[in-house]
Amino acid sequence: MLVFADNDILIKLAGCSLLDRFLIALDQPEIRIAPATRFSLPQQAKKKIKDQGRVATLCTWLDDVEIAAEVQDLTLLDRLAEIPGIDGGEGVLFAAICETQHPTRLITGDRRALRTLLAHAQQLQDVFDRLKGSVYTLESALLLLIEQFGFAEIDETMRARAVEDKVIDMAFGPNRNSEHARHCLSSSTREVLPLLANANLILPAE
């Protein structure tokens, strides 16, 4: 399986020391990144991760990650670029996935792009059909990690995180339990449910 990843989720997972465990949960897939990521991610990581050791680990890992194949369908890129809410980086990943014959997943921290795709599902029917049921947001990734490794282990890791995130602040910490965390994470990602992999992990609204 190929997993296409954007900058934000890689930075958040690395800043929480959870990138390795998430890839284990996905059975060690091959990762693909947009061409610009090789240059932009290290700079962004240095600004957002407050632990230079974790930044260095992420950058070393990035050196071994392959760039996604160049998108051949420029018309598809143009269609995506015309829609406000889908930035260039996400557009490249969406288009690259559409041209890939292998089973794929997308891991992304850009919920705005996912909401935009859902809002334009008829206009982008081919993209929606390719991505539905195959996306992990940061929140759904954390739900998978809780399922795989247990709440106590993930909560302990979160307390030592070196990156800021409002949803993580609400979901984890003193006097928070597994039920609270799972409901909080589900609430934050339920809006893009049709696109999510492991959608069964998303709890229904209370």
Side-chain angles (χ1 to χ4, degrees):
M1 180 172 68
L2 300 181
V3 171
F4 293 75
D6 76 356
N7 289 17
D8 189 62
I9 198 167
L10 293 176
I11 289 170
K12 290 289 177 67
L13 289 171
C16 295
S17 294
L18 286 174
L19 180 56
D20 286 346
R21 269 175 279 191
F22 181 58
L23 296 179
I24 289 170
L26 293 184
D27 199 23
Q28 299 289 15
E30 295 182 46
I31 305 297
R32 296 290 184 270
I33 55 176
T37 295
R38 185 83 75 201
F39 308 101
S40 60
L41 188 143
Q43 297 175 358
Q44 293 176 13
K46 289 175 184 177
K47 294 179 181 178
K48 296 180 179 181
I49 299 177
K50 301 174 182 178
D51 179 337
Q52 293 311 301
R54 298 186 194 192
V55 173
T57 298
L58 175 59
C59 291
T60 298
W61 173 85
L62 186 68
D63 288 340
D64 294 325
V65 175
E66 291 190 30
I67 303 295
E70 185 175 351
V71 175
Q72 301 300 307
D73 187 353
L74 300 183
T75 301
L76 175 56
L77 282 178
D78 289 341
R79 287 166 55 207
L80 290 164
E82 289 172 357
I83 299 177
I86 299 178
D87 68 25
E90 293 299 318
V92 167
L93 292 178
F94 287 1
I97 290 171
C98 287
E99 292 190 347
T100 301
Q101 302 302 314
H102 301 283
T104 59
R105 294 287 186 269
L106 170 68
I107 60 174
T108 176
D110 191 346
R111 287 208 312 273
R112 182 188 181 208
L114 299 180
R115 291 194 301 268
T116 301
L117 175 58
L118 284 174
H120 295 80
Q122 291 186 331
Q123 182 179 348
L124 295 170
Q125 189 70 51
D126 49 347
V127 181
F128 171 76
D129 288 344
R130 191 70 173 88
L131 286 176
K132 65 182 179 181
S134 66
V135 176
Y136 287 97
T137 64
L138 175 65
E139 295 81 7
S140 67
L142 292 174
L143 285 167
L144 179 63
L145 286 165
I146 291 172
E147 180 78 8
Q148 292 280 328
F149 296 98
F151 171 76
E153 180 174 335
I154 302 306
D155 184 53
E156 181 179 359
T157 303
M158 286 304 184
R159 296 184 189 213
R161 68 186 181 275
V163 68
E164 296 182 1
D165 185 87
K166 291 181 180 179
V167 174
I168 291 175
D169 288 343
M170 292 187 292
F172 298 93
N175 303 317
R176 308 276 169 75
N177 58 23
S178 176
E179 182 178 4
H180 170 86
R182 292 170 64 225
H183 275 289
C184 184
L185 295 168
S186 296
S187 176
S188 295
T189 201
R190 198 178 290 123
E191 62 184 346
V192 294
L193 186 62
L195 295 170
L196 297 181
N198 290 104
N200 60 299
L201 297 178
I202 309 301
L203 299 180
E206 295 180 316

